[in-house]
Amino acid sequence: MSAQTTVSPVAKSTQPAAPKAPKALTAYRPFWAKRFGTARFLPMSREEMTELGWDSCDIIIVTGDAYVDHPSFGMAVIGRVLEAQGFRVGIIAQPDWQSADPFKVLGKPNLFYGVAAGNMDSMINRYTADRKIRSDDAYTPGGEAGKRPDRASLVYAQRCKEAYPDVPIVMGGIEASLRRIAHYDYWQDKVRRSILADAKADLLLYGNAERAIVEVAHRLAAREPIEQITDVRGTAFLRRTNDPTALGWFELDSSEVDMPGRIDQHINPYMTMAQQAEAQGETCAREEEGAFDPLKGQGKGTAQVDAAAAGGQMDLSGGAKPIKLVVNPTLAAKSAAIKANAALPERAGRIVMPPRERTVIRLPSYEQVKSDPVLYAHANRVLHLETNPGNARALVQAHANRDVWINPPPIPLTMAEMDHVFDLPYARSPHPAYADENGGHDGPTKIPAWEMIRFSVNIMRGCFGGCTFCSITEHEGRIIQSRSEDSIIHEIEEIRDKVKGFTGVVSDLGGPTANMYRIGCKSPEIEAACRKPSCVYPGICSNLNTDHGPLIKIYRRARALRGVKKILIGSGLRYDLAVKSPEYIKELVTHHVGGYLKIAPEHTEGGPLSKMMKPGIGTYDKFKQLFDKFSEEAGKKQFLIPYFIAAHPGTSDEDMMNLALWLKRNGFRADQVQTFYPSPMATATAMYHSGRNPLKGISRDETRSERVDVVKGEKRRRLHKAFLRYHDPNNWPLLREALKDMGRADLIGNGKHHLIPFYQPQTDGSYQSARRKNSTGAAGSKTSMTAIGRASHQLKEAPDPRQLPKVQPRKGQILTQHTGLPPRDNGGPKGPATPRTRSTGGARKKVR
């Protein structure tokens, strides 16, 4: 990818100072209302406010989830953090959005409305990957669906503005985070504007927003107009084009690709410094010596290295050390040949880059990206290159006559700040308003998401895996933020002593990823300079500390606590990281697996895995060997539950066929599968929309830009899903047709080496969803499963159940989670349930 870089002439008028270091969360002077003390629950009604002695709320949080006062729920975390700063915080949970009246129930907030859709994106929460409406909502009492609108944060912001037009609106949460720029909307199959341009919000906070929300709250409390709050990291806002408040910024134009003239290349995030130097005919002696240069790592461009090699001057503002380049004749000849073939102009002369903290990159406008998939992919690539808080620059994207400004990401919380956030006085239960007739929360008003995390402990946040289909990195960042050991142990003791129903089993000790606790870059200098989107792809970075010792210590200390019988690990495991620590795998398998452990290879074939940025299936095999070995040594019969994605960009029909063959060869019968879901702003979504690979660079020249095989259309998506459920007789007609078209009719037969048989049981042969609750079907029909223990197939629900075909399985054909696991009987599944979970930055939701 290439883009012409220009400096805005208006930006040369001033040279502002570098930004100050972030202020600690606990360093602010408390707001005067702190005298009211701490509320057992943040109030949801005027009656509760009166009991607390409040005449008004300083801040009102509007959320699409039911209010659960637990650190896994975003509204509780932000509310408690603001309460600790002395502000009076009220909650309006799941309001009726048909009018503005429900948004007035707590009165007019003194400072601002805080608006969020909830722990999940409202569209993903409501619709399946096949765009069918789900029949339940895990974040609502009783699992009832329909309690929030589509694009809830946008609707809530508009209603808040209708309620009190002069009250500032601060939007946050994962839904707003993933829509902060022009984004592809899977549900409408088009590119939508930034949510800021559609909602009537004054400020958008993206990522984990504790640091930003505290600063914004105190500045508003000091009567600073919200229009002037434009310098907070982790925020986005609207500006008029050519607004004089933008003076002092250096603008780099990256709104086009393949522009003629001087070309400043983006750093390839998958090349080491030595590889980048090799491409230019040099070697990087400093890297070979084990050192690192922040200048190159901070992305000041290969153009500067070329300038140095050509004898030009290099701007070293900020005290950065130059890279020591050693000319290698062999590599120089190779580089010359490459440059001659590429026919690109040589770069030479003095390169002076503006200060990063006052540099803004102009992305292609909304009007451009909505009609040009190539520019959409280019904008997505640039955005993902500017995600490291240590070196990211601000971004700007025009929407008609207004610009969406996106400040650099927030500085991660320190361990002390993480402890402060998680040690706040959470009630750890749903608000009393959701209690059933017995005053409890385990009856018909039970909130499924709360039940899932009721006895779990979040020990860290963030993920450096960088999987292209996942939104964790875009939201929480790739720098791991961990709590202290004492803080974690204290929370377990709080659960043991105060949470009703605790039986001694902690359901999870994890986070977005189970085994990234206190793992990060060995060098703060390297971490601040790195621009790679993943620390574990294509392999484990040599600069990554993979020590699982602190995590093992926590496991052992936690299970030794009085009253704790078992510590289970429910979060997804990064197995390619785990194999670096056999001691960790032994500890995990011996003491913390409840019979089943879920991991996510996602695929077996190199093509889709390279688009996902996931390791090869060989790494899974290594982990399985260790898992089986330590399970046998512990005298336990335990099983791995691997999960796979169907229809991911870059997946061919042959790839899915080979995956199905691998599943059969290894004796797996997936009971539930997942189809690729294009979430806003994800790299894989950019592939899905554009058909290009942003990981390899974007160009209109077909020889310099990789095309991606995108799986679109209901029939092909169904086919890929059918390969994962090759054992389901309802899928056999579709698979037979596909295998014949692929020239692989040899896989059809009744032998063990065949994928599907010739015969067809008595079924209707139609496609059905694997889970009844997954979605509503066509009018007048539902998706359902046959009785547990019968043949593994699905039938349409008939008016009279007695009319259903009676299909008896052949010997050995028993429906199980996977072949080889204990069979289920008609009385229901035995052993722990194994629903797939995906982290959403807080509580994790079952994907049925």
Side-chain angles (χ1 to χ4, degrees):
M1 179 182 65
S2 58
Q4 189 178 44
T5 301
T6 60
V7 178
S8 172
V10 72
K12 298 179 181 179
S13 59
T14 182
Q15 190 77 308
K20 298 179 180 178
K23 191 173 184 177
L25 293 180
T26 55
Y28 289 86
R29 181 180 179 181
F31 191 61
W32 68 267
K34 192 174 181 66
R35 68 187 68 176
F36 287 101
T38 300
R40 182 170 178 267
F41 284 91
L42 302 178
M44 292 179 62
S45 66
R46 293 302 293 260
E47 291 75 18
E48 293 173 79
M49 291 170 57
T50 301
E51 290 177 7
L52 293 169
W54 299 3
D55 61 346
S56 62
C57 291
D58 299 310
I59 299 160
I60 295 177
I61 295 175
V62 181
T63 175
D65 293 339
Y67 170 32
V68 180
D69 200 57
H70 187 284
S72 287
F73 285 76
M75 92 291 286
V77 171
I78 294 300
R80 290 298 186 182
V81 166
L82 289 169
E83 180 189 54
Q85 299 293 324
F87 299 105
R88 294 167 294 179
V89 183
I91 300 282
I92 298 178
Q94 297 188 320
D96 181 355
W97 64 92
Q98 301 301 326
S99 73
D101 291 339
F103 296 80
K104 301 178 182 179
V105 294
L106 299 182
K108 182 179 179 179
N110 301 321
L111 298 180
F112 64 89
Y113 275 112
V115 171
N119 271 17
M120 281 190 72
D121 184 285
S122 64
M123 300 299 288
I124 295 176
N125 179 278
R126 189 182 184 200
Y127 296 93
T128 70
D130 296 325
R131 297 190 182 98
K132 295 180 180 178
I133 298 176
R134 300 184 194 273
S135 60
D136 61 354
D137 183 344
Y139 293 89
T140 303
E144 183 180 358
K147 289 296 185 180
R148 75 186 87 203
D150 289 354
R151 301 178 182 87
S153 52
L154 189 158
V155 176
Y156 291 160
Q158 292 176 340
R159 289 292 182 261
C160 289
K161 187 60 73 174
E162 290 176 22
Y164 300 107
D166 58 333
V167 174
I169 297 175
V170 178
M171 181 185 295
I174 191 166
E175 179 169 283
S177 272
L178 302 185
R179 290 168 166 79
R180 57 188 184 261
I181 66 168
H183 55 279
Y184 173 72
D185 186 274
Y186 172 63
W187 304 272
Q188 291 185 326
D189 192 24
K190 71 175 187 179
V191 175
R192 286 179 62 97
R193 300 189 299 175
S194 164
I195 196 170
L196 268 172
D198 287 333
K200 298 182 182 298
D202 298 279
L203 198 62
L204 183 152
L205 276 54
Y206 68 89
N208 294 117
E210 293 94 345
R211 197 184 297 284
I213 197 71
V214 167
E215 180 178 349
V216 169
H218 280 287
R219 290 172 66 171
L220 288 174
R223 299 294 183 263
E224 183 175 351
I226 195 166
E227 295 80 9
Q228 296 181 13
I229 302 179
T230 60
D231 58 345
V232 179
R233 296 182 69 106
T235 64
F237 55 92
L238 287 170
R239 263 193 177 126
R240 290 287 178 184
T241 304
N242 299 320
D243 193 310
T245 60
L247 287 173
W249 284 88
F250 295 84
E251 182 177 296
L252 303 183
D253 184 13
S254 190
S255 60
E256 291 290 346
V257 296
D258 301 325
M259 291 184 67
R262 186 188 191 98
I263 294 179
D264 298 330
Q265 297 176 348
H266 281 272
I267 291 178
N268 186 332
Y270 308 108
M271 294 176 67
T272 64
M273 291 176 59
Q275 290 172 326
Q276 293 180 50
E278 177 181 345
Q280 299 160 29
E282 299 129 359
T283 62
C284 183
R286 294 200 68 230
E287 186 183 68
E288 293 167 358
E289 294 164 6
F292 184 87
D293 176 58
L295 175 66
K296 182 63 175 290
Q298 287 177 354
K300 289 199 173 182
T302 53
Q304 285 189 309
V305 181
D306 287 348
Q313 299 298 314
M314 193 182 304
D315 176 49
L316 301 180
S317 58
K321 299 177 181 178
I323 299 173
K324 178 182 177 183
L325 296 174
V326 180
V327 176
N328 182 315
T330 303
L331 296 180
K334 177 181 176 183
S335 174
I338 293 174
K339 289 181 178 180
N341 291 334
L344 295 178
E346 293 288 339
R347 297 183 297 272
R350 190 172 187 271
I351 303 297
V352 179
M353 298 294 286
R356 300 187 73 84
E357 67 274 6
R358 298 301 296 179
T359 298
V360 60
I361 299 177
R362 179 164 291 279
L363 300 174
S365 69
Y366 160 70
E367 288 75 18
Q368 289 177 289
V369 300
K370 75 174 182 179
S371 58
D372 190 336
V374 172
L375 284 182
Y376 182 90
H378 166 73
N380 182 272
R381 176 175 168 86
V382 174
L383 181 141
H384 282 85
L385 285 173
E386 302 295 334
T387 56
N388 184 348
N391 61 62
R393 291 165 288 199
L395 303 172
V396 62
Q397 184 177 54
H399 287 62
N401 62 343
R402 294 184 297 175
D403 286 339
V404 174
W405 279 68
I406 304 173
N407 285 326
I411 301 297
L413 299 185
T414 64
M415 182 174 287
E417 289 175 317
M418 284 285 287
D419 289 351
H420 167 73
V421 170
F422 282 89
D423 291 346
L424 293 170
Y426 301 97
R428 301 191 68 87
S429 72
H431 189 277
Y434 306 121
D436 56 28
E437 57 185 9
N438 299 317
H441 299 283
D442 294 317
T445 61
K446 180 189 294 184
I447 300 172
W450 169 70
E451 180 67 19
M452 179 181 289
I453 53 84
R454 185 176 182 178
F455 306 118
S456 70
V457 177
N458 198 330
I459 65 176
M460 46 74 68
R461 65 170 55 151
C463 179
F464 49 70
C467 300
T468 60
F469 53 82
C470 182
S471 300
I472 296 174
T473 303
E474 281 94 340
H475 183 62
E476 295 196 2
R478 64 181 181 83
I479 296 177
I480 303 303
Q481 301 160 73
S482 302
R483 299 169 61 186
S484 71
E485 184 179 317
D486 288 343
S487 175
I488 295 167
I489 296 300
H490 173 70
E491 183 172 348
I492 297 175
E493 292 173 335
E494 288 278 302
I495 294 174
R496 177 196 65 190
D497 299 337
K498 298 180 180 180
V499 177
K500 181 181 178 181
F502 181 65
T503 61
V505 179
V506 176
S507 61
D508 188 21
L509 208 61
T513 305
N515 59 323
M516 288 188 182
Y517 176 74
R518 298 189 70 173
I519 290 181
C521 199
K522 297 175 182 177
S523 165
E525 182 186 50
I526 295 176
E527 183 176 71
C530 183
R531 291 167 66 81
K532 292 176 63 177
S534 173
C535 300
V536 290
Y537 183 84
I540 305 293
C541 179
S542 60
N543 293 313
L544 185 68
N545 163 35
T546 59
D547 181 19
H548 286 62
L551 188 55
I552 296 171
K553 186 180 178 183
I554 283 185
Y555 286 180
R556 291 173 177 171
R557 184 176 170 186
R559 61 186 170 85
L561 288 174
R562 174 185 57 81
V564 175
K565 300 176 183 177
K566 186 84 172 178
I567 301 287
L568 295 174
I569 305 304
S571 298
L573 186 76
R574 190 78 196 199
Y575 57 89
D576 52 344
L577 200 60
V579 295
K580 295 291 184 179
S581 177
E583 182 187 4
Y584 170 74
I585 299 177
K586 183 174 183 179
E587 169 71 19
L588 177 75
V589 169
T590 305
H591 301 286
H592 304 287
V593 176
Y596 305 91
L597 180 69
K598 62 175 181 287
I599 57 175
E602 308 296 6
H603 217 285
T604 59
E605 305 306 296
L609 288 173
S610 68
K611 307 303 183 296
M612 299 175 182
M613 291 208 301
K614 292 284 288 187
I617 197 66
T619 308
Y620 164 84
D621 294 333
K622 293 177 184 177
F623 178 81
K624 187 177 186 303
Q625 291 175 3
L626 292 172
F627 180 89
D628 293 341
K629 174 177 179 289
F630 293 130
S631 292
E632 184 178 357
E633 290 178 2
K636 296 184 175 183
K637 193 172 184 180
Q638 301 181 136
F639 306 92
L640 287 178
I641 306 297
Y643 289 98
F644 301 92
I645 293 180
H648 190 280
T651 307
S652 66
D653 298 348
E654 287 74 16
D655 289 331
M656 292 307 301
M657 178 191 71
N658 290 332
L659 172 54
L661 291 170
W662 184 92
L663 289 171
K664 184 165 187 177
R665 187 165 58 248
N666 287 275
F668 288 121
R669 290 187 174 188
D671 199 25
Q672 49 184 312
V673 299
Q674 180 163 312
T675 309
F676 169 67
Y677 205 146
S679 59
M681 214 173 83
T683 299
T685 302
M687 297 181 192
Y688 179 89
H689 173 58
S690 69
R692 307 295 181 107
N693 184 5
L695 300 176
K696 295 291 183 68
I698 300 299
S699 172
R700 299 189 189 280
D701 185 346
E702 294 288 341
T703 64
R704 294 165 52 202
S705 184
E706 181 182 357
R707 285 278 186 177
V708 176
D709 182 10
V710 178
V711 185
K712 291 187 178 181
E714 181 181 358
K715 182 174 181 180
R716 195 171 178 215
R717 285 172 68 87
R718 280 177 48 194
L719 172 63
H720 282 213
K721 195 172 183 178
F723 271 119
L724 284 182
R725 288 183 54 79
Y726 67 92
H727 54 280
D728 185 344
N730 269 324
N731 290 328
W732 292 349
L734 179 62
L735 291 176
R736 288 193 195 98
E737 179 186 353
L739 289 173
K740 291 175 182 177
D741 291 342
M742 295 163 63
R744 293 306 308 268
D746 58 298
L747 295 177
I748 306 172
N750 300 329
K752 291 184 177 180
H753 63 285
H754 294 113
L755 182 63
I756 56 174
F758 285 122
Y759 70 89
Q760 181 66 36
Q762 187 177 357
T763 69
D764 61 7
S766 67
Y767 171 77
Q768 292 291 329
S769 174
R771 291 291 185 186
R772 177 171 184 166
K773 286 189 176 182
N774 191 46
S775 65
T776 55
S781 67
K782 295 181 180 178
T783 57
S784 63
M785 295 190 68
T786 54
I788 297 173
R790 293 182 180 178
S792 175
H793 69 278
Q794 299 156 309
L795 302 168
K796 281 189 175 179
E797 186 174 301
D800 184 352
R802 291 173 297 181
Q803 296 176 5
L804 290 174
K806 304 296 184 182
V807 181
Q808 295 297 325
R810 291 186 297 111
K811 184 178 180 180
Q813 285 189 329
I814 301 296
L815 175 63
T816 64
Q817 174 70 21
H818 294 292
T819 297
L821 301 191
R824 300 172 180 173
D825 58 28
N826 289 334
K830 295 180 179 180
T834 56
R836 183 169 192 179
T837 61
R838 285 290 190 190
S839 176
T840 58
R844 291 171 293 279
K845 176 177 172 61
K846 295 180 183 178
V847 180
R848 297 183 182 274

